[in-house]
């Protein structure tokens, strides 16, 4: 399927870990990039991490560097976000998205457009 389908997430205490997944395939182009975003109530959507499929990790937000890891399994067509040392500030709805590589576009060098976004996964971290 082209539209990403997310899984994982849930609730955890501060200091804990979670992994969220995003499965999708069938994009109409080969220069694919994928990323994770999050949005907490009352806040703007924030870019969390992004990578180029088959290439390097492109971006981590400063707030998650050293704690979160983005990866992609090409055999499973699945994008992952491993989240460690979680804090209540990480609580948000997390979205994955796929787009076309476009290096001038900040911060991930990816043009996500509107078509390839996951349904969202709630992550709640309690103190």
């Amino acid at each position: 399927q082209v539209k990403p389908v997310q899984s994982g997430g849930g609730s955890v205490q501060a200091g804990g870990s979670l992994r969220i997944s995003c499965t999708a395939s069938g994009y109409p182009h080969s220069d694919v990039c994928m990323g994770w975003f999050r949005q907490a109530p009352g806040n703007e959507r924030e870019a969390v991490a992004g990578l180029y499929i088959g290439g390097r990790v492109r971006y981590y937000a400063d707030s998650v560097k050293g704690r979160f890891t983005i990866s992609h399994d090409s055999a499973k067509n699945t994008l992952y976000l491993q989240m460690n040392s979680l804090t209540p500030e990480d609580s948000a709805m997390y979205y994955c998205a796929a787009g076309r590589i476009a290096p001038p576009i900040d911060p991930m060098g990816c043009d996500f457009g509107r078509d390839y976004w996951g349904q969202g996964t709630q992550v709640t971290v309690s103190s």
Side-chain angles (χ1 to χ4, degrees), residues 15 31 39 43 46 49 52 57 61 63 71 77-78 94 97 106 111 113 118:
D31 50 343
Q39 188 167 20
N43 291 356
E46 174 189 16
Y52 289 173
V57 175
S63 58
S71 62
N77 293 316
T78 300
Y94 283 71
D106 290 331
D111 182 1

Side-chain angles (χ1 to χ4, degrees), residues 105-118:
I105 297 179
D106 290 331
M108 298 191 192
C110 187
D111 182 1
F112 288 101
R114 299 181 180 182
D115 295 333
Y116 305 119
W117 288 79

Side-chain angles (χ1 to χ4, degrees), residues 15-123:
S17 298
L18 285 173
R19 188 177 77 164
I20 53 179
S21 304
C22 171
T23 300
S25 62
Y27 299 108
H29 47 80
S30 59
D31 50 343
V32 179
C33 43
M34 297 190 74
W36 290 100
F37 296 80
R38 67 185 181 186
Q39 188 167 20
N43 291 356
E44 293 188 353
R45 187 176 66 194
E46 174 189 16
V48 176
L51 54 70
Y52 289 173
I53 300 301
R56 63 185 179 93
V57 175
R58 175 77 179 190
Y59 174 81
Y60 284 110
D62 288 342
S63 58
V64 307
K65 282 180 181 177
R67 300 188 299 121
F68 289 14
T69 302
I70 186 173
S71 62
H72 183 264
D73 185 333
S74 296
K76 297 181 179 180
N77 293 316
T78 300
L79 181 75
Y80 300 99
L81 186 67
Q82 177 66 44
M83 303 178 287
N84 299 329
S85 302
L86 285 161
T87 72
E89 288 69 35
D90 295 315
S91 297
M93 186 71 79
Y94 283 71
Y95 298 91
C96 71
R100 197 161 191 176
I101 292 174
I105 297 179
D106 290 331
M108 298 191 192
C110 187
D111 182 1
F112 288 101
R114 299 181 180 182
D115 295 333
Y116 305 119
W117 288 79
Q119 79 276 18
T121 300
Q122 181 66 41
V123 171

